Amino acid sequence: MPNPQIFNLPDVGEGLTEAEIVSWKVKPGDTVAVNDVIVEIETAKSLVELPSPFEGVVAELLVPEGRTVDVGTPIIAVAAAGEAPAAPAPSAPAPSAAPSSAEPVLDAGPLVGSGPKADAVKRRPRRPLTLPSLSIPGRQAPQAPAAPEVRLPAAPQAHPPALHVPPAPARGSAAPAGDEALPGTRAHQRGEAVQPAVNRLITRVLAKPPVRKAAKDLGIDLADITPTGRGGEVTKQDLLSYQAQRDAEVDAAEKFWAPSRQPQEERVERTPVRGIRKITAQNMVKSAFSAPHVSIFVDVDASRTMEFVKRLKASRDFEGIKVSPLLILAKAVIWAAARNPSVNATWSSGPEGDEILVHHYMNLGIAAATPRGLLVPNIKEAQDLSLKELAVALNQLASRAREGKTQPAEMQGGTLTITNIGA
């Protein structure tokens, strides 16, 4: 039997290294198409259904149910539809079925092609025709078809279209060995090549094309929406509900900043720290010195931000003003703080006890490396500045810091700081 394609257990994107085979959805001899669910696995976090990256016939289940295996372990072997072991060659062909000299010769063993190399990636018919259902002119079918015959064109062809012919060995190379599916061989490499595609299938959010387009137009990531549709699909109503919630947050954010005509000390919301919150705070302080710390890194696609920066640099309104991604980040932080007030807050300990002070204004600190060391001057009432005014304020702050002219008042009263680690 020709060597099957091997599917290895993929990384399901949770940072885990192993998973348990919970239940197989297929058995040897079953025909599968690309994206058909073949197995359910369980990680330490969730149950995941894995789709098949291959089409063909299940040749073997390599891992039994209930066993835990590492990522990268071969779990299933899939043979091409035309190479399935369930389609034996006839033992004694009738004289009328003997091939003529003009016809391709089919051996009783594995099919060997001598024509162009088959491209399994580009040729993915959802329901491939199998050998028993064909009627080829001049040749008797190996088995009597159970369904109506499908007749092929009478024009002479090098190979019957429905037969999947495996790629022929390159000239000068040896015939495929029986251990081709082992690690390091071509079948194994083909399995590894489809792993990224399988990972994308697993993590892809389900949604219809109109919903995807609407989300793109609104600048919404479908992964942020809780799906309620069948099979975990994000529906139009899910998108509308998420957009309504986001609009409500934006409206509330506009009301968060108190009028700047009031003194800043009158624009502070004080929350006493008592009970469980106080104990939690004490334990958090202890953990800063006694527990290992963890860093989380998140990759962000900033392509649109960089395009926006480029447009601002070319704009007449910003002529003579230095524009950098820091400007966009600063404006985004001001906007985000209004939706998440706890990040624009400080801890205060006084004679009357501990308090959390939520500031309804923002003195935005910018960490700057200067010849005198690291300074953190801040831009007063940054929430009231337009994008252009914020750009001017950032340029002035940076210039004074480099020249060593930062005033003490500029480094007092900061509520939130941006640390720019550089380009």
Side-chain angles (χ1 to χ4, degrees):
M1 182 182 70
N3 295 303
Q5 301 176 98
I6 304 299
F7 178 32
N8 301 330
L9 179 67
D11 179 0
V12 293
E14 298 176 332
L16 302 173
T17 59
E18 63 180 16
E20 177 187 342
I21 305 298
V22 177
S23 63
W24 285 104
K25 305 301 181 182
V26 295
K27 60 184 182 298
D30 286 353
T31 300
V32 295
V34 174
N35 295 346
D36 283 354
V37 174
I38 56 175
V39 66
E40 184 179 55
I41 66 171
E42 183 175 15
T43 69
K45 297 183 179 180
S46 62
L47 285 172
V48 179
E49 292 181 335
L50 296 185
S52 173
F54 309 119
E55 64 177 2
V57 177
V58 177
E60 184 180 1
L61 305 181
L62 305 177
V63 179
E65 294 181 353
R67 178 174 297 178
T68 299
V69 294
D70 295 333
V71 169
T73 302
I75 59 174
I76 188 173
V78 180
E83 301 171 355
S91 56
S96 60
S100 65
S101 59
E103 297 182 51
V105 178
L106 297 182
D107 194 336
L111 298 178
V112 178
S114 59
K117 181 176 180 180
D119 189 343
V121 176
K122 296 181 181 178
R123 300 177 62 228
R124 289 182 174 177
R126 299 293 294 181
R127 293 181 175 84
L129 297 175
T130 55
L131 183 61
S133 63
L134 293 178
S135 176
I136 304 175
R139 183 181 298 278
Q140 178 178 331
Q143 296 179 5
E149 293 183 348
V150 177
R151 295 191 174 274
L152 301 177
Q157 301 181 25
H159 296 282
L163 296 178
H164 178 81
V165 181
R171 293 184 178 180
S173 63
D179 59 350
E180 185 181 351
L182 297 177
T185 56
R186 286 181 296 173
H188 181 77
Q189 292 169 356
R190 286 199 301 269
E192 290 184 342
V194 300
Q195 296 303 315
V198 174
N199 295 340
R200 288 193 296 272
L201 287 171
I202 295 171
T203 58
R204 180 176 173 83
V205 179
L206 299 179
K208 290 184 171 61
V211 176
R212 291 188 182 279
K213 184 179 184 305
K216 182 178 180 180
D217 294 341
L218 293 171
I220 295 176
D221 186 351
L222 289 173
D224 295 336
I225 303 177
T226 302
T228 62
R230 184 177 181 181
E233 177 182 325
V234 175
T235 65
K236 180 180 179 181
Q237 186 58 45
D238 295 336
L239 179 62
L240 294 176
S241 299
Y242 182 85
Q243 175 64 12
Q245 178 185 353
R246 193 169 71 161
D247 291 342
E249 291 177 351
V250 172
D251 293 340
E254 293 177 354
K255 302 173 183 177
F256 174 77
W257 304 117
S260 56
R261 61 179 177 270
Q262 300 177 4
Q264 288 189 349
E265 56 269 17
E266 296 180 7
R267 289 181 279 157
V268 176
E269 178 184 345
R270 297 177 177 271
T271 303
V273 180
R274 301 189 181 96
I276 295 296
R277 174 172 282 188
K278 186 172 185 177
I279 296 174
T280 301
Q282 292 172 350
N283 290 334
M284 290 295 292
V285 172
K286 291 179 182 178
S287 69
F289 301 96
S290 60
H293 293 186
V294 176
S295 297
I296 297 177
F297 298 87
V298 180
D299 293 332
V300 178
D301 184 357
S303 303
R304 296 174 66 183
T305 299
M306 299 308 295
E307 293 173 1
F308 185 39
V309 170
K310 188 180 296 183
R311 292 200 302 270
L312 291 180
K313 289 181 178 179
S315 172
R316 291 184 178 180
D317 291 339
F318 285 80
E319 187 174 356
I321 301 174
K322 181 181 179 181
V323 178
S324 70
L326 178 62
L327 169 63
I328 313 304
L329 177 61
K331 194 66 175 178
V333 165
I334 296 171
W335 177 76
R339 300 177 64 186
N340 303 274
S342 60
V343 302
N344 193 44
T346 55
W347 181 277
S348 174
S349 296
E352 299 181 358
D354 297 330
E355 290 180 313
I356 295 176
L357 309 181
V358 177
H359 306 284
H360 289 263
Y361 60 90
M362 179 175 286
N363 293 341
L364 180 61
I366 304 294
T370 71
R372 296 192 302 164
L374 181 65
L375 302 180
V376 188
N378 60 77
I379 301 172
K380 309 298 183 185
E381 305 289 353
Q383 79 282 352
D384 292 337
L385 303 181
S386 66
L387 191 61
K388 182 176 180 179
E389 292 170 337
L390 185 59
V392 172
L394 284 171
N395 290 340
Q396 293 175 348
L397 179 147
S399 297
R400 288 195 298 270
R402 285 193 298 267
E403 296 170 1
K405 297 180 180 180
T406 302
Q407 300 299 313
E410 293 180 296
M411 294 187 288
Q412 296 175 354
T415 61
L416 189 149
T417 298
I418 296 177
T419 299
N420 183 7
I421 62 173

